[in-house]
Structures are given as structure tokens and as C-alpha cells.
Amino acid sequence: MNKDRPTVEFEGFRYQVRDGESLLDSLIRGGAEVDFSCRHGVCQTCMMRVLSGEVNLEATKALRQELVDSGHFLPCRAHPKADLTVGLADYSQLTLEAIVSEKVALSPSVVRLSIEPAVNLDWTPGQYINLINPEGISRNYSIASIAEEDYFVHLHVKRVDNGVVSGWIHDALEVGDFIKIQGPMGECVYDLDNPERTLVLLATGTGLAPLYGVLRDALRHGHRGPILLYHGVATPDELYLNAELVALARAHANLRYFPCVGEQSVTQAAFDSPSFSQDVAEHALYLCGNPGMVYHARYLAIGAGFRRAHILADPFISDEPYWPQDGQKLQSLPPEPELWAALEQGPKLRRILEDVYDQIYADPRLSPFFQHATKERAISKQYEFLAAIFHAESSYFGLNPFNAHHWMIFSDEIFDHREDLFENTLRKHGVQERFIRRWMSIQELFRREMVKSSERGMIMGGEEHLKSGYSQEVLGVGSICDGCQRELPAGSAGLMHQRTGHFYCVHCNPHAVG
């Protein structure tokens, strides 16, 4: 190693950081098993923790203050000037202690858990906290209470079959017990800025918890616009706050409550309502509960004219990974002959996509996801994909949305940023508003295939194939090391990163076997 260059110690190995190289790039080149996606500080997947030494300000400025205070940083933005020791992110440092103050059955399957944090906790109704069981397993639960009226943090917890945290809460947790929590987090809260706006709240099951907090918070602040609450459940006994909501609706003329039981889906009840025949652009839509409902309602909402900025969603998180349905979704979409005609049977679509990708490749939040693809290839693949949807006779032989983005750590915020850019470009090119709504609703349909918090494998033949980490390889023909640019003869050993395809020689990393 060059003694003049800083080194980074991680899990017992030392890695040298070369000139102009980020700390993350030095770890990847050296064969370290680290998570990453965008490599430019957008997704925050690569977050680590400093154990000794210091990192530059750029490596921390995108993080929440409590993460910075506990030593966390983004190695993709770190360019150390001196030696460092780093470790994986440690969220246990962000836990707080709380005491269980009350546990009340609201229905045969739901309890209200009231907890009092050991320190003053500043929360807003509709946010969520993580509860951590004695084995260190955590689950998110939304806050249904208002600090000024209820004092305690109220959580509605439904017993889930084989649920390791919900089962512990229902069967073992007792009043007086101390528990570990994290948070609060989330933005599914009431907006004080527009008291005249219509609020549309859709919930399934205990997705009612955050919306119960939101609507009470709205009423407490004197919200004057209509509030429409739809609660979908399978059986009548799951309407666990029915009496309270009926009483609230009687006490407030602007609140209407719609219980939806059994086959009457909450989305059908809401979107078939006369309220949706009017202009909904200024309405606020809250979606909480079953992910299928949440994502389908997003799709319907964009088509109906809701603005993305006015849609706040909090879908349940499952232990089971989502299995993509993009193939079925593509088959379910009818052709759009009017929209295709408006796009001049293709030429205007091409011009729009050229404009869109000029902006994407110049955008610091989006361009990192395209660093290994040429702009022309990105335009062509998107053209083929959309033309196949709009014009049934067109052919598309590329990857479906899930497989095309399987490794990308793509947040809802980044997805919305891309869609806003896309929508503004359509408007700039004179596309009619009715076509814009339909176009954007089609793209919205695939949000769930694209948005994810961890890398996934490609789905092939009904199985998921995760290409991550490194494999020991021996070159069959001469090549060049992607790390140090050293010429390598046939027979050279090294490590190949299975996702990126980059090959690193034994001189670049301490893991490769020479």
C-alpha cells in the first residue's frame, strides 16, 4: 500500500483510498461486502458508522441529525484525508425506552397499546414508531393519539398469524413493562396550511390508526373543508372504532364516515363516490393499510386528477418480499389509440423522451441510477415500453419494470421526483391534460415494482435470482482491472462483482485469491 494515502479499516481488513476515489468505491474495489445502489448519496443504502477518525461534512449533510450524532455517514460521499475505522450502520443507538401504561382490547383481534416514552417525545398524529421486541425484531406502528389531548402514544396493534412482534404485544407484554422504541418518523400527517381543502382518508384494518389521529388533529385545528373517511374491513367486528367515528361524525357536520365491510372495497366506495366527479386537484388523499389497496388507490387517484404532492401513503410492511405483478398489469392495460394519435404515432413520443432524459441525465438525484447506461439506450427502451402500451401493435422485448430496476434502491420521494419531471415535460410539449392524467396513471401503476428499500434479484422462471456480492474468477483471456487499470494476462485471478460485472485484480483488494 502507498503510505501517503489514507486507509480504511472495515471488518478486519484495510482498504486504501486512492486519489479522487470515494470511500465506498475503495471498499467495492477491495471486495468488501457492503450494500450500495446509486453511489451518489441519493438512496442512502450504503450508510455506515465511523468508529474512529473523521469524515468530511459532505458525507453527513444529507442525514438526519440523530444519525449524524451517532456517527453515521454516507461512504459514497466520503473522501477521507486520514486513516479511518468504520463499521456497518447501527440503528440500536437510536432507540429510546418507554413504559407500557395501558393495553385495551378494541376488538377480538386489535389492542390499543398506550406507552409513555422515558424522555419528552415530539410526535404528530399519523407518524409511526418502531417497537422492538426482546429478540431485537422491530415493527412499525402508527400513532393514533394527539399529545395535547391523549398524553400517551396510542398504537393500534392487530394480531397477525405467526407475528413475532404482534404476538408478543398481545400475549406477553403487560402494563408496567419497559420496551425499546425508535422514532417518530413519517409524513402522513395533517397539513395546517389549507383548512378549506377536502380530505379523503382511505384505510384498511388498523391502517385506521394514523387516519384516526389525522382526522382528530384536523378537527382540533378547526378544519373547515369536508373530511371523508372510508374504513375497509372483512367482517363487522373489525370496525373497531365504529362507535367513536359515528359519534365524531354526528358532532362535526364536515366529517362523513363510510364503513366498508366484506366485498365492498374501500377504493370502490371512495372512487365511485359523487365527490370524485368534481375537480380533485386540490383534495388531499391519505392512504393507509393493505399495500394492495394503497398502490391501487394511488393509480386510481392519479387518473382521477389528484396531485402526487397531495397524496400521503403509509402501506403496511410485510415480512414476505413483494412478488412483482408487472406482467399481469401490462396485459391488463388496453391500448390508447387517442393518446397514440396525439403523439403522432410515435415521433412526438420520441421528442418528449429525448427532452425527459436530457433532464434526467443532468439531474443529480436521478442521473446516478443511469451511470452504466447510455442516454440513447435509455430513451430507446422507454420508447419501446410506452409504445407497446399505447399502441398494441408495437413490440417490446425488454425487461419488465421490476427486472429493469431490481437492484435500484428507489424511494417514493425519488419516484415522485421523476414523475414530476415527466409530467412537467408532457405539459411543456402541449399534451392535453386528460392524456397527461392517463399517461401518468399508467406509470403510477408500476410504482410498487420500482420503489424498494433493499436490492432484489431478477425474477426468471418463477424464481428470484439475486446477483450480489463477489465471486472468485480466473480470466480466460487477457483483460484490464476495473480498479487499477492494470493489464491482466489470461489466467489472472481476482474478484468479479456479480451485479456490476467489474473485475478487480489481487493488487486491488485483500480478499481475492492469487
Side-chain angles (χ1 to χ4, degrees), residues 493-512:
L495 291 182
M496 185 181 76
H497 195 279
Q498 296 188 74
R499 187 216 300 165
T500 67
H502 289 163
F503 183 87
Y504 302 105
C505 72
V506 294
H507 300 281
C508 277
N509 64 76
H511 298 275

Side-chain angles (χ1 to χ4, degrees), residues 262-469:
E263 295 182 1
Q264 184 189 25
S265 75
V266 69
T267 49
Q268 181 183 16
F271 284 89
D272 287 349
S273 166
S275 300
F276 286 79
S277 63
Q278 56 182 291
D279 183 8
V280 298
E282 295 304 320
H283 289 16
L285 178 65
Y286 293 78
L287 306 168
C288 300
N290 180 279
M293 181 280 289
V294 170
Y295 286 99
H296 184 59
R298 276 187 183 269
Y299 162 68
L300 294 175
I302 296 300
F306 280 88
R307 296 180 181 174
R308 270 179 302 280
H310 296 168
I311 301 175
L312 297 99
D314 188 6
F316 290 154
I317 298 175
S318 171
D319 289 341
E320 296 297 322
Y322 170 66
W323 199 256
Q325 300 176 16
D326 43 7
Q328 302 94 304
K329 291 176 180 178
L330 284 167
Q331 292 177 5
S332 72
L333 290 170
E336 301 285 342
E338 282 191 280
L339 176 53
W340 187 242
L343 295 173
E344 303 167 1
Q345 285 77 41
K348 187 170 183 176
L349 172 59
R350 175 78 190 192
R351 294 196 299 273
I352 290 170
L353 292 177
E354 288 173 349
D355 193 348
V356 165
Y357 281 94
D358 280 345
Q359 297 174 68
I360 285 176
Y361 273 71
D363 189 297
R365 300 172 68 188
L366 296 174
S367 58
F369 295 98
F370 294 87
Q371 55 190 307
H372 298 301
T374 66
K375 189 189 301 183
E376 176 56 36
R377 176 175 173 79
I379 293 169
S380 296
K381 287 299 179 183
Q382 185 72 356
Y383 178 93
E384 293 171 10
F385 177 72
L386 291 172
I389 294 174
F390 300 156
H391 183 46
E393 295 181 7
S394 297
S395 297
Y396 174 65
F397 299 103
L399 298 173
N400 283 352
F402 181 89
N403 280 347
H405 303 85
H406 69 94
W407 61 270
M408 296 184 186
I409 311 302
F410 218 58
S411 67
D412 279 305
E413 180 185 9
I414 294 298
F415 184 91
D416 287 331
H417 177 59
R418 174 189 179 274
E419 294 303 278
D420 286 340
L421 182 152
F422 219 111
E423 184 173 341
N424 291 336
T425 305
L426 296 182
R427 203 162 277 123
K428 183 174 79 173
H429 284 259
V431 178
Q432 293 182 38
E433 288 298 320
R434 64 190 180 101
F435 291 141
I436 291 177
R437 287 200 300 271
R438 180 56 183 155
W439 188 332
M440 301 315 297
S441 72
I442 290 171
Q443 296 195 165
E444 181 69 36
L445 189 62
F446 299 99
R447 177 189 290 263
R448 199 175 183 189
E449 273 70 28
M450 296 175 64
V451 170
K452 65 185 77 68
S453 59
S454 60
E455 179 183 350
R456 294 287 301 275
M458 292 185 71
I459 305 296
M460 296 180 291
E463 296 183 355
E464 183 171 356
H465 301 267
L466 182 62
K467 289 188 175 183
S468 188

Side-chain angles (χ1 to χ4, degrees), residues 198-202 226-230 254-256 258 275:
T198 297
L199 308 182
V200 184
L201 290 66
L202 275 64
I227 304 174
L228 311 176
L229 171 65
Y230 298 82
N254 62 330
L255 171 62
R256 298 186 66 191
F258 303 92
S275 300

Side-chain angles (χ1 to χ4, degrees), residues 11-27:
E11 295 189 335
F13 290 93
R14 297 201 71 83
Y15 305 84
Q16 191 163 70
V17 183
R18 294 175 176 167
D19 293 342
E21 188 177 52
S22 73
L23 193 157
L24 176 64
D25 286 339
S26 69
L27 293 176

Side-chain angles (χ1 to χ4, degrees), residues 113-257:
L113 192 68
S114 300
I115 62 175
E116 181 178 6
V119 298
N120 185 33
L121 194 66
D122 184 17
W123 85 83
T124 302
Q127 288 187 298
Y128 64 89
I129 62 173
N130 292 338
L131 257 63
I132 305 170
N133 77 355
E135 286 73 44
I137 302 171
S138 68
R139 293 290 184 272
N140 300 340
Y141 294 101
S142 295
I143 300 173
S145 54
I146 298 173
E148 293 81 359
E149 295 184 5
D150 305 310
Y151 182 72
F152 296 118
V153 174
H154 291 172
L155 312 173
H156 300 167
V157 182
K158 181 176 181 178
R159 181 190 293 276
V160 177
D161 291 340
N162 302 314
V164 293
V165 176
S166 68
W168 163 67
I169 292 171
H170 275 257
D171 299 331
L173 200 58
E174 297 181 355
V175 172
D177 286 350
F178 285 91
I179 59 174
K180 295 290 187 181
I181 65 172
Q182 293 173 327
M185 294 166 279
E187 299 178 352
C188 191
V189 299
Y190 174 63
D191 182 1
L192 294 169
D193 291 341
N194 194 338
E196 305 293 341
R197 172 178 291 161
T198 297
L199 308 182
V200 184
L201 290 66
L202 275 64
T204 58
T206 49
L208 177 63
L211 301 190
Y212 183 59
V214 167
L215 78 87
R216 290 175 62 225
D217 200 31
L219 294 172
R220 186 176 73 90
H221 283 97
H223 188 83
R224 296 184 292 275
I227 304 174
L228 311 176
L229 171 65
Y230 298 82
H231 184 205
V233 296
T235 59
D237 65 0
E238 293 177 286
L239 294 171
Y240 64 90
L241 287 182
N242 190 66
E244 291 88 337
L245 292 170
V246 168
L248 272 176
R250 286 175 179 165
H252 299 275
N254 62 330
L255 171 62
R256 298 186 66 191
Y257 163 53

Side-chain angles (χ1 to χ4, degrees), residues 74-91:
L74 298 177
C76 62
R77 289 186 168 183
H79 297 272
K81 302 299 183 185
D83 293 351
L84 285 171
T85 301
V86 301
L88 297 175
D90 182 8
Y91 298 101

